[in-house]
Amino acid sequence: MSDLEAPLRPKRKKVWVDYFVQFRWIIVIFVVLPISFTLYFLTYLGDVKSECKSFKQRQKEHDENVKKVVKRLKERNPKKDGLVCTARKPWIAVGMRNVDYKRARHFEVDLSAFRNVLDIDKERMIARVEPLVNMGQISRVTVPMNLSLAVVAELDDLTVGGLINGYGIEGSSHLYGLFSDTVVAYEIVLADGQVVRATKDNEYSDLFYAIPWSQGTLGLLVAAEIKLIPVKEYMKLTYKPVVGNLKELAQGYMDSFAPRDGDQDNPNKVPDFVETMIYSPTEAVCMTGVYASKEEAKMKGNKINNVGWWFKPWFYQHAQTALKKGEFVEYIPTREYYHRHTRCLYWEGKLILPFADQWWFRFLLGWMMPPKVSLLKATQGEAIRNYYHEMHVIQDMLVPLYKVGDALEWVHREMEVYPIWLCPHRLYKLPVKTMVYPEPGFEQHHRQGDTHYAQMYTDVGVYYAPGPVLRGEVFDGSEAVRKMENWLIENHGFQPQYAVSELNEKNFWRMFDADLYEHCRRKYGAVGTFMSVYYKSKKGRKTEKEVQEAEQAILETPDAEAA
């Protein structure tokens, strides 16, 4: 068997859950989609109502809500009450890991009112927003002004708070880094109720660098100031097919945005947006976009594609046509391009509703897409949730750019998941070592895509049912994830914590660096108030005793006294 051949697996005997999943589309069409559409509409009305208020009024309401949070925190009795977490229901989170920490006794703080855009400062090019503002909401406000966040995550429902405390990326991350890299200030309520503003150069600079990837375990984020960039009305998108083995597909992807001469900061050589979709072990389509004015887009001979219309083909299937018809160029309205994967949830929509990509469904019911991920989780139950953990993969592998080919071969050999999404991002060399960090000494190698101040990484997005599952063969999802996590640790890669993880505590802190995080946990009183990031991300139920013992162990370490 060659290195690329997947292992032979025995057939798996079907159980009742298989049939339930197969016909789950009935519940999705008649229950989930109508409720989702209603919630989307009500949320939109709430956003419109908020936008009718002046920034001054929104700021006043924000200050009042912050006072409520401070008051609530001060009501907590550490001896009687559990650890602090938000009052948001577990199923509402967009992430796929179990939110089982909320099943133990805990002290809830309600942040549901924090969903307003507080200010758009065109002079400073800063948007000040609350943590529950989502990507659809902020792009609806900024794009008509020819402004945008530097990094706009593709799915509408992803919130600012989740993208900061967790992980966020987009096709512009090869220029600006991850979503958290575009934040210039955080407003945080600490464990003792103190409200602080953390920036990279004030007295809370350590907290500023520690907040990303911390999963809200250092304090409660109540506002963020995020970098804005000027944009134009359209995205000029080039679709380029690539054919070859996986290493050749990876090289074609690298060449689409990373000049081989190392001139990575030259805007004439590097596009504004980049993504690649690997459709099979031998076929891929690389997409590169540059902003374009409406005058250019409407020039004779140019094709405009409004991909946001409900009846349009799903974006990943539209891009796939380049494999047959060859390279082509079209213009897409900027906001529609940002959210191009929302309607079909990348390609997960094909598993949820197998016929939803057909023209008749798109025309008749496409306007109700997508189903809300939170409602899909709320209607699946324990057995279905466990089935998806074992028989389905939703993982992002963040790997150095030069190791993308190796990562693709590993995914093919162990999971056989297609399509695969590739999106590059910078991992900056910062003044302090954060939870995620570039390879030591990367700048000395002068590899393709790297600069002296940032190493180029890639998100290898693996979302779908593995090949063995589709063929009815035995597949151990937990073991596959364990192998993936070990591969990432060995190759200086990272796993975003929204996903299901099999990491034990030792390996968690082999993947991520703990020093700054633990320093801030102690310095700002988070120990004994907020759950640690490992226990919050840990798979399975967290007993109150288990968490309390872990917190006590940290409090009793010598470093805690020094802090």
Side-chain angles (χ1 to χ4, degrees), residues 295-315:
E295 290 78 15
E296 177 185 341
K298 294 181 178 180
M299 289 177 63
K300 187 176 180 180
N302 289 341
K303 179 184 177 182
I304 293 177
N305 184 6
N306 294 92
V307 298
W309 284 102
W310 75 90
F311 53 81
K312 286 281 190 172
W314 288 356
F315 183 77

Side-chain angles (χ1 to χ4, degrees), residues 51 73-74 110 132 185 252 290 307 322 346 447 504 524 542:
E51 291 163 17
L73 275 177
K74 291 183 176 180
D110 187 5
L132 292 185
V290 294
V307 298
Y346 286 90
R447 296 189 182 99
N504 58 34
Y524 296 106
K542 292 84 173 169

